[in-house]
Amino acid sequence: GAGVSQSPSNKVTEKGKDVELRCDPISGHTALYWYRQSLGQGLEFLIYFQGNSAPDKSGLPSDRFSAERTGGSVSTLTIQRTQQEDSAVYLCASSYTGIQTQYFGPGTRLLVL
Amino acid sequence: GENVEQHPSTLSVQEGDSAVIKCTYSDSASNYFPWYKQELGKRPQLIIDIRSNVGEKKDQRIAVTLNKTAKHFSLHITETQPEDSAVYFCAAKMDSSYKLIFGSGTRLLVRP
């Protein structure tokens, strides 16, 4: 079946602009995660959604970062007033439930000039 | 909270040799340990995982061992091939938790 998809695959923006990154999880997966991967680094947890529960936003690095998940499916990660240090690959993952195996999307490579 | 350390950061082996990557974790309550492989420019993919009720798990050329007393687990790749070249990430979490804590990754290069 279809895996996790993300769009856009690449995004180049100017410092100070807002960006929106989209994630489509695997159908039927109730849990959705966002991670950030800086060049040559590991995966940094950003935010977690589980069904209709309040999301765990504990990993968001600043109030410029926000995310929502509409209808328990598609999620959007928004970065306001982008900074150069926001440049990274943003990965989305989903799992059947919050304690099951996570499957990753291909990521969005964000470059802030 | 949980902390996962991974070593080495880079590993170069000759094709056909074995490769071993080691991870240690801090939270003794962790009991699920997956390994992900990430090829250049691609998504991380689960290659093997282990739960704390077993000490070793094998899948063809890949094996993972777990020592709960010492709080460390290792990935073993035998008869390495050039297509094994990638970055490998270990992770840990409690079964009751959703949060995977990742190691910093190991870049494996298999020389033909």
Side-chain angles (χ1 to χ4, degrees), chain A residues 42-74:
Chain A
L43 285 78
E44 175 190 4
F45 167 81
L46 296 178
I47 189 169
Y48 162 75
F49 295 91
Q50 171 60 59
N52 296 320
S53 302
D56 176 354
K57 305 179 182 180
S58 61
L60 295 179
S62 78
D63 58 9
R64 295 187 296 104
F65 288 72
S66 63
E68 62 178 23
R69 188 179 185 192
T70 54
S73 181
V74 171

Side-chain angles (χ1 to χ4, degrees), chain A residues 4-84:
Chain A
V4 179
S5 61
Q6 292 185 244
S7 61
S9 54
N10 291 281
K11 177 72 176 178
V12 181
T13 190
E14 293 178 348
K15 177 181 173 181
K17 295 286 181 68
D18 298 351
V19 296
E20 285 190 352
L21 313 179
R22 177 187 168 106
C23 172
D24 280 272
I26 293 172
S27 178
H29 280 194
T30 64
L32 187 148
Y33 310 75
W34 283 98
Y35 294 89
R36 179 168 68 176
Q37 187 175 30
S38 300
L39 187 62
Q41 301 298 310
L43 285 78
E44 175 190 4
F45 167 81
L46 296 178
I47 189 169
Y48 162 75
F49 295 91
Q50 171 60 59
N52 296 320
S53 302
D56 176 354
K57 305 179 182 180
S58 61
L60 295 179
S62 78
D63 58 9
R64 295 187 296 104
F65 288 72
S66 63
E68 62 178 23
R69 188 179 185 192
T70 54
S73 181
V74 171
S75 177
T76 302
L77 177 69
T78 301
I79 309 173
Q80 296 178 309
R81 305 180 302 281
T82 51
Q83 303 295 311
Q84 289 182 330

Side-chain angles (χ1 to χ4, degrees), chain B residues 17-35:
Chain B
D17 288 350
S18 295
V20 181
I21 302 170
K22 298 181 180 182
C23 289
T24 60
Y25 60 98
S26 60
D27 191 340
S28 57
S30 290
N31 54 11
Y32 174 64
F33 308 93
W35 286 88

